[in-house]
Amino acid sequence: MLPTILDLASLRSAYATGLSPLDLVEEIIARCSASDDPAIFITMTPEEELRAAARELVARAPEPNSLPLWGIPFAVKDNIDVAGLPTTAACPAFAYQPQADATTVARLRAAGAIVIGKTNLDQFATGLNGTRSPHGAPRSVFDRNYVSGGSSSGSAVAVAAGLASFSLGTDTAGSGRVPAAFNNLVGIKPTPGLVPNVGVVPACRSVDVVTVFAATVGDGIAIRRIMEGYDARDPFSRQATPASLPSRRPRIGVLDGAEREFYGNRDVEALYDAAIERARSLGAVIVPFDYAPFRQAAELLYNGPWVAERLAAVKEFLATNGGDFHPTVRAIIEGAKAYDAVDAFEGRYKLEALRQKTRAEWAKVDFLMLPTSPTTYSVDEMQADPIAKNSHFGRYTNFANLLDCAAIAIPAGFDADGHLPAGVMLVGPAFTDDALAPFADALHRAAEAGMGKDRNIALPEASRVLPTADDFVPIVVVGAHLTDMPLNHELTRPGGYRLRTGRTDGSYRLFALNGPIPPKPGLVRDPGFAGDGVEIEVWALPPAAFARFVQNIPAPLGVGKITLDDASCITGFLCEAHAVTGGREITEFGGWRNYVRSTSPVA
């Protein structure tokens, strides 16, 4: 029985215990047929094509979970190309048949993921509320009277309703984050240029970003890493170098004074304050900062010449098909005609002046924590005042791409009645995408808000994001230092943490050494050996602790570079070859843990 929310850990576990991709496809088909929200998708992948995709995957990679996203179902916002399905941008007259997948979609499919359909959006990705589509308004999974957020509305609802494991959105003004808040999801907004936009219908080409909606931070980061990477066909693609955060104990900037605006929504304000206290309890230093220059930069996106980029994206189509536009979308885009080239340069000058002012605030903090949206509205309220109320949603999101930031939106809990969710987002300087993730994950877990519409489910341990800061040194362990083994405390006491489990490549042999107490194995590399690899764990230690740990390793053990089955090469425990002479080879057990179990007395 599959859970409501199809997070990666749950699906991988199900696949490992007998579920097939074809079984999952049948479940997705059944769930979509039973959905009570007809506005989530614009185009579904035909059922027979879904089944064929599942069969093709198994033929290509028969072993369960043998690809990073083996059999994982995902949905794609309908301004991103999927070969075989039309791209419409929620405007039927604009529709075209792409000949190839967008770069992001191609990379995800190569990793084993299966596209289930194209999702609804605010037309031409213009809006943050989800009501600007001729295909209807996808609704919040918690109350059909309320908006789902936009423009990536259908993408968020598909994941929150359990119809997909993850989905792709786009984010120019906050469209990959606001829908996450309204549907109790994680929204991953990469630094502009980190993920290519090839095959994406542009909104504002210079600041558009492809985003991920997922159940957990760990899922979202794993998916983003598969999508990212330079693509020369995208003029805004960048060769990225990950940035670290300067403090082990993060300094988090929070709203203060007059810049705290929630448009009368005391529930969201209370949830924001509760998130601040959770951050404090997790060890963060809370620093009030001046949001004013960020807010002024945010206002440029719709009240400045950047709106002309929206016109540039569709000007030829608008000239011939103005009547096919949603009225609000058309009014916004046609407003761009009021700007000229002088306005564009003056807007750029103003943005750069504001960027200089934000530098003083960044000097105080490592990253910001802001409400994802300060409030929410019903569909009726939004449609009665579509411009003003939509702008409320973007108060804290609109600056992020203009100022070259990374952001992760996470759930922050539910209002006092347990009715509607709200969220917060962590925002950091360019390319802090990975650096933000451990604290975002910890904060999500501390909120105990569940995932999507399942608000009571615990987040899986397998998706936990551990710190990977530059001030930690990785080390591979194979024996008595493994989790739950007698010497594991030598790693945990000085502040070490487990990064991941894995295996060596096939050239390593494992032996039970004679004499050590507690018993220990010896790992030896034999270049001529072709085995299945040996179970290992990769841990991380602070540098000083790493030095003490290595200094105290007794002979015949030592450290050297160990090659893992993913071709990575990491410092770890090795044994001098002479010491295994006469010892029992235990390579056949696959690892020290299995060997120890085999020698333990049976009760």
Side-chain angles (χ1 to χ4, degrees):
M1 183 70 176
L2 287 170
T4 299
I5 304 303
L6 302 173
D7 65 279
L8 298 190
S10 295
L11 275 188
R12 286 167 176 161
S13 176
Y15 281 142
T17 54
L19 183 77
S20 75
L22 191 57
D23 295 332
L24 181 68
V25 161
E26 296 297 346
E27 175 70 14
I28 295 295
I29 291 170
R31 289 188 182 192
C32 289
S33 297
S35 172
D36 63 355
D37 190 337
I40 299 173
F41 290 94
I42 292 177
T43 306
M44 295 292 299
T45 302
E47 293 179 8
E48 282 308 311
E49 290 185 19
L50 276 176
R51 296 182 180 109
R55 296 188 188 101
E56 186 278 332
L57 172 66
V58 174
R60 173 164 62 105
E63 193 68 25
N65 300 320
S66 56
L67 294 171
L69 296 176
W70 193 85
I72 303 297
F74 75 109
V76 180
K77 185 176 180 178
D78 198 17
N79 62 340
I80 302 173
D81 287 348
V82 174
L85 299 177
T87 300
T88 77
C91 181
F94 178 80
Y96 64 89
Q97 287 287 345
Q99 298 303 304
D101 288 334
T103 298
T104 50
V105 173
R107 290 173 177 176
L108 294 167
R109 282 178 146 171
I114 298 173
V115 177
I116 66 167
K118 303 292 291 295
T119 53
N120 203 355
L121 65 150
D122 280 327
Q123 191 180 73
F124 293 109
T126 302
L128 285 173
N129 62 83
T131 70
R132 300 172 179 175
S133 169
H135 302 283
R139 309 302 176 99
S140 163
V141 294
F142 299 100
D143 188 329
R144 287 183 54 80
N145 292 315
Y146 280 80
V147 299
S148 59
S151 60
S152 310
S153 51
S155 289
V157 176
V159 177
L163 308 182
S165 290
F166 71 93
S167 63
L168 301 188
T170 60
D171 188 311
T172 304
S175 299
R177 292 164 282 161
V178 171
F182 293 171
N183 292 280
N184 199 37
L185 293 173
V186 169
I188 304 292
K189 189 211 76 65
T191 300
L194 180 63
V195 173
N197 286 330
V198 175
V200 179
V201 177
C204 292
R205 190 185 296 270
S206 67
V207 290
D208 290 341
V209 174
V210 177
T211 66
V212 180
F213 294 101
T216 69
V217 174
D219 285 5
I221 294 295
I223 293 155
R224 190 217 76 221
R225 286 174 178 163
I226 291 168
M227 298 195 308
E228 71 184 38
Y230 180 72
D231 187 334
R233 296 171 297 168
D234 175 3
F236 292 97
S237 186
R238 298 156 76 182
Q239 298 278 11
T241 300
S244 61
L245 297 173
S247 304
R248 282 195 187 180
R249 188 181 179 195
R251 303 167 299 157
I252 300 182
V254 301
L255 295 172
D256 188 40
E259 291 299 329
R260 291 174 61 98
E261 176 60 77
F262 294 88
Y263 302 101
N265 194 322
R266 294 184 178 180
D267 283 319
V268 175
E269 184 172 15
L271 288 169
Y272 178 62
D273 288 336
I276 292 172
E277 292 310 309
R278 283 194 292 274
R280 197 191 309 273
S281 72
L282 291 170
V285 177
I286 303 303
V287 182
F289 79 105
D290 182 10
Y291 182 66
F294 297 88
R295 173 177 50 77
Q296 291 161 9
E299 291 168 355
L300 291 173
L301 195 60
Y302 276 102
N303 298 316
W306 274 267
V307 75
E309 272 203 286
R310 295 185 182 271
L311 177 59
V314 295
K315 62 180 180 180
E316 294 179 2
F317 183 74
L318 180 64
T320 58
N321 293 75
D324 293 310
F325 281 70
H326 185 282
T328 302
V329 173
R330 180 176 179 177
I332 292 169
I333 293 176
E334 287 188 331
K337 295 176 180 179
Y339 296 98
D340 60 19
V342 173
D343 295 319
F345 280 103
E346 289 179 343
R348 175 68 184 274
Y349 302 155
K350 184 173 182 179
L351 176 63
E352 295 308 315
L354 290 168
R355 191 191 308 275
Q356 294 292 357
K357 290 183 179 180
T358 66
R359 294 185 196 282
E361 303 309 310
W362 284 119
K364 303 173 187 175
V365 302
D366 297 322
F367 54 87
L368 312 177
M369 185 170 76
L370 299 167
T372 308
S373 174
T375 189
T376 189
Y377 295 110
S378 70
V379 172
D380 289 344
E381 289 172 324
M382 178 58 63
Q383 291 179 334
D385 190 8
I387 301 293
K389 285 188 164 46
N390 184 88
S391 71
H392 294 173
F393 291 171
R395 181 180 177 91
Y396 300 117
T397 59
N398 285 4
F399 75 87
N401 289 336
L402 286 172
L403 293 179
D404 202 26
C405 295
I408 300 177
I410 56 172
F414 289 78
D415 59 22
D417 297 328
H419 181 209
L420 294 173
V424 296
M425 59 183 173
L426 306 186
V427 183
F431 302 120
T432 55
D433 304 78
D434 286 333
L436 293 171
F439 200 87
D441 180 61
L443 203 58
H444 183 193
R445 292 172 186 276
E448 298 183 339
M451 303 180 287
K453 71 177 183 180
D454 193 343
R455 66 181 73 190
N456 297 313
I457 192 171
L459 274 61
E461 280 299 310
S463 67
R464 187 180 291 276
V465 183
L466 295 170
T468 55
D470 291 340
D471 54 357
F472 283 81
V473 181
I475 186 167
V476 172
V477 297
V478 298
H481 290 91
L482 293 167
T483 301
D484 298 327
M485 290 291 173
L487 298 182
N488 185 247
H489 64 274
E490 293 183 1
L491 300 173
T492 58
R493 282 180 181 171
Y497 58 88
R498 190 176 71 181
L499 289 173
R500 61 187 174 100
T501 59
R503 303 188 74 79
T504 68
D505 75 9
S507 64
Y508 290 87
R509 301 168 67 181
L510 195 66
F511 295 82
L513 299 179
N514 294 320
I517 301 296
K520 297 175 183 176
L523 184 71
V524 177
R525 183 170 182 268
D526 180 351
F529 185 68
D532 296 323
V534 175
E535 177 193 14
I536 58 90
E537 291 178 353
V538 183
W539 282 71
L541 287 170
F546 178 86
R548 289 192 297 271
F549 182 75
V550 171
Q551 178 67 26
N552 292 329
I553 295 173
L557 300 177
V559 294
K561 293 298 183 183
I562 298 176
T563 302
L564 305 187
D565 62 0
D566 62 1
S568 59
C569 194
I570 304 174
T571 298
F573 275 92
L574 288 169
C575 184
E576 296 177 42
H578 73 83
V580 303
T581 302
R584 178 184 176 185
E585 182 169 357
I586 57 174
T587 309
E588 65 185 281
F589 291 92
W592 181 246
R593 196 186 308 278
N594 289 340
Y595 170 72
V596 169
R597 287 172 184 157
S598 75
T599 60
S600 299
V602 178

